[in-house]
Amino acid sequence: MGGGVYTMESRVRYSEVDSERKLTMAALVNYMQDCCTFQSEELGIGVDYLGEHGAAWFLSSWQIELVRQLRFCDKIRISTWPYDFKGFYGYRNFTVEDELGNVCAYANSVWVFMDVRSGRPVKIYPELTEIYQMEERYPMQYGERKLQLPAALEAKGRFAVQQEHIDTNQHVNNECYVAMAGRYLPEHAVVKRLKAEYRKAAVLGDWIFPFVYQDSEHMVVSLADEQGRTFAAVEFGF
């Protein structure tokens, strides 16, 4: 079975929407993450394969653009494909379409291939690049992978990493950082884009210290450790 474009269909569930019946950004991230995970599983290079080789894909960054707000009961089609591999970096696009085929969201993502035993990036195995089939990258405006944190960040207390935040890599799942940052969105905010940069993995028992900056155009959240070192930075554009 070859790679290339992988597609799955779903419907926006009640458990995935906010008080205004809009799909949350965290749920949208989950759809995209699940889609590429399912592709890897169907190609035989998923969680078990990676575990046997002591390897894992770690997400480095998201850039997600919303064309139309998805809502409760919408029928959707999520597609993903890799468009480049360079050293230990993998690059992957996503689209989310409604039942008429209109693109409601699209995204770019950057992944790092890791040796989990050494905790260091390693060159992507040649067999993986052969199984995944490259496609043309999506026609979008590609932004910088790294987020610049504003100087005027406001501390918002702290909270502990819980068991429900932990994924199969024994780290806080990518989506959870987006959900954590989303707690600080203003009421009735209309999010048009999301950027996220993952710098350091948080694990069970860690404390997370949120720092927030907001103006009329965007909100930036740094989710940091007690020394102020950022686990993940998330930017919501309005």
Side-chain angles (χ1 to χ4, degrees):
M1 181 185 297
V5 178
Y6 179 84
T7 297
M8 73 178 201
E9 295 185 354
S10 190
R11 195 173 190 183
V12 175
R13 301 168 177 84
Y14 186 77
S15 59
E16 298 168 335
V17 300
D18 61 16
S19 61
E20 298 175 339
R21 304 186 189 182
K22 299 182 299 184
L23 181 71
T24 66
M25 290 302 297
L28 179 59
V29 165
N30 262 342
Y31 272 120
M32 293 180 177
Q33 180 170 262
D34 287 345
C35 189
C36 65
T37 301
F38 286 146
Q39 181 182 36
S40 297
E41 290 295 322
E42 293 198 13
L43 293 173
I45 48 176
V47 173
D48 288 342
Y49 171 90
L50 294 172
E52 291 168 2
H53 289 76
W57 287 103
F58 284 9
L59 184 61
S60 176
S61 66
W62 280 116
Q63 179 188 349
I64 301 175
E65 306 286 339
L66 272 73
V67 179
R68 177 178 76 79
Q69 180 67 60
L70 292 163
R71 303 183 67 83
F72 175 53
C73 282
D74 281 350
K75 294 179 180 178
I76 56 175
R77 181 184 301 107
I78 307 97
S79 299
T80 186
W81 61 94
Y83 65 86
D84 199 8
F85 290 117
K86 291 181 180 178
F88 49 77
Y89 284 110
Y91 300 83
R92 180 177 282 274
N93 284 138
F94 297 81
T95 59
V96 181
E97 300 170 296
D98 63 20
E99 59 185 324
L100 299 178
N102 300 308
V103 174
C104 301
Y106 53 90
N108 183 51
S109 61
V110 182
W111 302 75
V112 177
F113 195 62
M114 298 285 290
D115 182 322
V116 296
R117 290 162 292 201
S118 68
R120 292 182 172 276
V122 292
K123 188 174 181 180
I124 300 165
Y125 305 154
E127 57 265 33
L128 295 183
T129 62
E130 291 173 5
I131 294 171
Y132 288 121
Q133 294 178 7
M134 298 297 109
E135 300 287 338
E136 293 295 322
R137 74 176 191 167
Y138 191 77
M140 59 182 282
Q141 184 173 349
Y142 289 78
E144 293 292 328
R145 179 172 61 86
K146 293 185 176 294
L147 282 176
Q148 298 298 319
L149 296 178
L153 288 164
E154 180 182 356
K156 294 290 185 179
R158 68 174 188 169
F159 55 85
V161 172
Q162 304 293 329
Q163 185 64 54
E164 59 265 26
H165 300 140
I166 303 300
D167 62 17
T168 58
N169 294 316
Q170 303 306 309
H171 299 155
V172 172
N173 187 265
N174 307 316
E175 167 272 338
C176 291
Y177 294 108
V178 175
M180 292 169 181
R183 299 175 183 178
Y184 305 99
L185 283 168
E187 189 176 7
H188 309 303
V190 178
V191 177
K192 297 179 180 179
R193 64 190 60 86
L194 176 139
K195 290 184 178 181
E197 181 195 354
Y198 301 92
R199 301 184 182 180
K200 184 166 83 89
V203 299
L204 188 63
D206 281 340
W207 286 90
I208 292 181
F209 295 77
F211 295 87
V212 180
Y213 170 85
Q214 182 188 329
D215 59 25
S216 61
E217 296 183 351
H218 69 305
M219 185 180 79
V220 179
V221 181
S222 171
L223 300 165
D225 65 13
E226 57 188 343
Q227 282 80 41
R229 297 171 298 192
T230 300
F231 291 118
V234 181
E235 177 181 345
F236 301 96
F238 307 138

